[in-house]
Amino acid sequence: MRTSTARAVQLVLLILLALLVLTPLLWLVSTSLKGPAEDIFSSPPALLPAQPSLDAYVRLFQDNPLSIYLFNSTVVSGLAVLANLLFCSLAAYPLARLRFAGRGLVLGLVVATILIPFQVVMIPLYLLMVQLGLRNTLLALVIPQAATAFGLYLLRQSFLGVPKELEEAARIDGCSRLEEWWNVMIPAAKADLITLAMLVFIGTWSDFLWPLVILDDPSLYTLPLGLQQLSSSFSLDWRIVAAGSVVSILPVLFLFVLLQRFILPNASGDAVKG
């Protein structure tokens, strides 16, 4: 009886917490669906639209180059994810499995960079992009995200958990170090790789400060900059702003729903291909 009561209380608390977290999102969606003649600042506030309409979404795409912003954000986020998975996994493998002088020092220095705020390195990074001739290019948005200290540390810890027997078996089969990395480590760390991909995608997709600093050309704006243009126009319509925010959330939500089933404890038995 006590167990059933405790579970019921726990379920009620979880439902209340979920409602508390989802209320701002529901309010955002509701605002974007309210008709042009509907007062969005009514008192008391109405959570559900009285006259549901897609007018805000239609005007969002008709009157603004949102498709360009979406394309730029997709390209930048996709390249950042691919670069992170490649470079972080390549760097994490020797730090996890090879023995060499100064390995601990190198790892400590890399991890220590996590403590450095981006605002500290923003100006030197900006000057570097200018000297490389990459200012006002999408590549300038990708390079700072191409490898992260957190990603390297995450994959290094993941590689440490791979049984040495798998490496030895691959070595007996004649695999090189690079083949061991590809055929043993990468499959074994699939869950952590997907986790890293999601974190990098979300961070790059929602990044506002660095694109604001490095880009001047509106045709290269990413989605956060494009949404900022909506909210700073002379005639501000909060329905369109809300619709743009909903559109920016949907890809991240879709990615999470698509990949969450892959985020499972590592199965070392699946580590060797073939």
Side-chain angles (χ1 to χ4, degrees):
M1 183 65 180
R2 291 182 178 178
T3 304
S4 301
T5 303
R7 289 181 178 177
V9 172
Q10 184 180 22
L11 180 60
V12 170
L13 291 176
L14 289 175
I15 292 175
L16 292 176
L17 180 61
L19 291 175
L20 181 64
V21 173
L22 290 175
T23 297
L25 180 60
L26 295 175
W27 184 269
L28 187 69
V29 175
S30 173
T31 301
S32 69
L33 293 175
K34 290 182 178 179
E38 191 170 352
D39 184 11
I40 61 175
F41 298 109
S42 61
S43 181
L47 180 60
L48 298 178
Q51 303 172 354
S53 172
L54 296 177
D55 177 73
Y57 291 92
V58 174
R59 288 190 292 151
L60 176 67
F61 283 92
Q62 284 183 348
D63 302 337
N64 302 278
L66 198 72
S67 57
I68 296 177
Y69 303 150
L70 284 169
F71 175 79
N72 293 338
S73 290
T74 302
V75 170
V76 171
S77 300
L79 291 177
V81 167
L82 293 176
N84 252 272
L85 296 181
L86 176 63
F87 295 136
C88 289
S89 61
L90 283 173
Y93 177 57
L95 290 175
R97 312 302 285 194
L98 302 183
R99 302 289 179 181
F100 57 89
R103 185 181 70 164
L105 177 62
V106 172
L107 179 62
L109 291 175
V110 171
V111 174
T113 60
I114 299 177
L115 303 176
I116 302 176
F118 176 74
Q119 290 80 358
V120 174
V121 300
M122 184 172 61
I123 294 178
L125 187 61
Y126 175 84
L127 296 176
L128 178 62
M129 293 298 108
V130 171
Q131 292 175 358
L132 293 175
L134 296 178
R135 184 176 178 273
N136 259 332
T137 64
L138 294 181
L139 192 58
L141 303 181
V142 177
I143 291 178
Q145 302 288 344
T148 59
F150 173 78
L152 190 151
Y153 181 76
L154 175 67
L155 296 183
R156 187 250 183 188
Q157 296 302 112
S158 180
F159 291 163
L160 284 177
V162 179
K164 293 183 179 180
E165 291 78 9
L166 294 176
E167 268 189 305
E168 294 172 356
R171 203 168 296 127
I172 292 174
D173 289 339
C175 291
S176 63
R177 287 291 186 182
L178 188 61
E179 290 172 329
E180 290 176 18
W181 164 77
W182 179 253
N183 293 317
V184 177
M185 295 298 170
I186 295 300
K190 181 175 66 173
D192 293 298
L193 287 168
I194 293 175
T195 301
L196 177 61
M198 290 180 59
L199 293 175
V200 173
F201 182 88
I202 293 172
T204 308
W205 183 270
S206 60
D207 188 20
F208 175 79
L209 179 59
W210 179 238
L212 178 65
V213 171
I214 203 68
L215 297 179
D216 286 336
D217 187 355
S219 65
L220 297 176
Y221 280 2
T222 55
L223 198 55
L225 284 182
L227 295 180
Q228 189 270 340
Q229 297 298 310
L230 296 178
S231 61
S232 63
S233 58
F234 181 75
S235 57
L236 177 60
D237 189 340
W238 286 107
R239 296 174 183 82
I240 296 181
V241 175
S245 300
V246 172
V247 170
S248 70
I249 293 172
L250 288 179
V252 177
L253 184 61
F254 174 76
L255 183 68
F256 177 77
V257 172
L258 182 67
L259 298 179
Q260 65 172 341
R261 65 189 181 94
F262 295 104
I263 306 177
L264 299 171
N266 290 351
S268 299
D270 297 333
V272 180
K273 293 184 177 179

